[in-house]
Each structure stands twice: as structure tokens, then as C-alpha cells.
Amino acid sequence: MSAAHVASLVLAAVFAASALVKLSGSKAAHEIGEKINAPFGLLRFVGACELLAALGLVGGVVVQTWMGVAASIGLVALMIGAVIAHVRAKEPLTASLPALVLGAVAAVLVFTL
């Protein structure tokens, strides 16, 4: 198993966990929505996108590489949106740091898978 495959699986686990928080309707998910002034329905949509991307990353390792590439491209776009949401909410740069790092890892995967 290559380093790109390991990174794909780790990224899939991170996004699956994030998706479950948003899809569960937990208090933490509602707090995130309040911080960035996003309706909870939008957060659920983002959670669904994250879950599908996580499945795509796993599919890229197990089934076909193109699935992982497509999922990584989607995650890059999603993380760009996350950074924009945090900036628009006037949050400190540290609030955008996880999205920046995860987006960068996804971007690297686009070119290494």
C-alpha cells in the first residue's frame, strides 16, 4: 500500500467523523453553524458531501483510482468553501487552519493518486 493510499484512508476517516457530527444534528454541529452564520440544513448538506467524499477516497483505494481523485477534487472545493465561510464570519485564521491543512492534503492527493 502506497503512502497516497494511507493518506487517502486517513483523510477518509477524518471526513467521515466530521460528516457524522454534522449529520447527527449534535450540539457541536449547531454551534459550528452559529459561528459561521450558516443554516443547519447547509451543514447537513456539507456533512453529506463529506461522507460521500470519504466513501470516494476509500473507493479510490479499493476499487478504482479515479474515485479517489474525484473525491479529492471535491474535498478541495469543499475546503475552499469552508475557509471562505470562516473568513466571512470574521473568525481568526486559526479557525480556518484545519480546512486549509485538509484541503492541502486533498490537493496533494489529486496529483499523487
Side-chain angles (χ1 to χ4, degrees), residues 47-60:
C49 291
E50 289 175 343
L51 187 57
L52 289 172
L55 292 172
L57 288 169
V58 173

Side-chain angles (χ1 to χ4, degrees), residues 6-28:
V6 172
S8 292
L9 295 176
V10 170
L11 202 60
V14 169
F15 277 103
S18 175
L20 293 177
V21 169
K22 292 175 181 81
L23 292 172
S24 71
S26 69
K27 184 178 178 184

Side-chain angles (χ1 to χ4, degrees), residues 38-47:
F40 186 68
L42 178 60
L43 285 183
R44 280 223 162 137
F45 176 74
V46 169

Side-chain angles (χ1 to χ4, degrees), residues 45-108:
F45 176 74
V46 169
C49 291
E50 289 175 343
L51 187 57
L52 289 172
L55 292 172
L57 288 169
V58 173
V61 172
V62 177
V63 181
Q64 288 286 328
T65 303
W66 67 264
M67 294 172 79
V69 173
S72 295
I73 291 169
L75 285 173
V76 169
L78 200 60
M79 293 301 96
I80 289 170
V83 170
I84 291 169
H86 287 289
V87 169
R88 288 183 66 198
K90 296 182 174 53
E91 290 192 310
L93 181 61
T94 55
S96 298
L97 196 56
L100 287 168
V101 170
L102 293 172
V105 171
V108 169

